[in-house]
Amino acid sequence: MERELLRIKTAVDADRVTLSLYGELDLSSAPGLIERLAGVVRAQPPNLDLDLIRLDYTDPTGLSVFVTAHFQCLDAGVQLRFLNPNLFMRELLAVTGLEDVLSITTTDAFVGA
């Protein structure tokens, strides 16, 4: 039995959809996230959060998914935030310059983690 590299938990609260990512985002797991994001963006919630607190790893494919989601949300009028990147993700976003492009937010949930 093959291990699931990326799990995605969806939470809906009034005007906000949160997708919490668990595990690894790479070439093999990206299609599942792309599909889930497309469905959420089509529904056009006012706000979409990608919670990265439990995302252990991503490769360039995963970063590409983040950038594509950013522009798709801009086009659809959906406010996209990337929540709680762990140390690995913060460093990766800084090195690639994406911290200057994407809306990165740290919430109380991260401080308590």
Side-chain angles (χ1 to χ4, degrees):
M1 186 164 113
E2 192 171 313
R3 186 177 133 242
E4 188 177 20
L5 291 178
L6 181 68
R7 289 183 299 116
I8 306 166
K9 179 181 171 189
T10 303
V12 179
D13 181 28
D15 66 345
R16 183 171 307 281
V17 174
T18 301
L19 299 180
S20 299
L21 308 182
Y22 299 82
E24 301 177 9
L25 177 57
D26 61 13
L27 182 61
S28 66
S29 61
L33 179 57
I34 291 168
E35 184 177 318
R36 184 77 62 92
L37 284 167
V40 172
V41 173
R42 270 193 305 274
Q44 292 187 304
N47 301 288
L48 171 58
D49 292 339
L50 283 180
D51 194 344
L52 308 178
I53 196 169
R54 301 277 188 251
L55 185 63
D56 299 323
Y57 171 81
T58 192
D59 69 0
T61 303
L63 294 177
S64 175
V65 172
F66 292 165
V67 171
T68 300
H70 168 76
F71 287 109
Q72 288 174 336
C73 285
L74 278 177
D75 289 346
V78 175
Q79 180 69 33
L80 175 62
R81 298 185 309 173
F82 293 83
L83 303 182
N84 307 319
N86 59 34
L87 180 59
F88 168 77
M89 289 302 304
R90 285 195 313 266
E91 290 177 354
L92 189 58
L93 294 168
V95 166
T96 59
L98 289 176
E99 70 179 2
D100 298 327
V101 176
L102 306 176
S103 177
I104 312 291
T105 303
T106 301
T107 67
D108 292 339
F110 183 74
V111 175

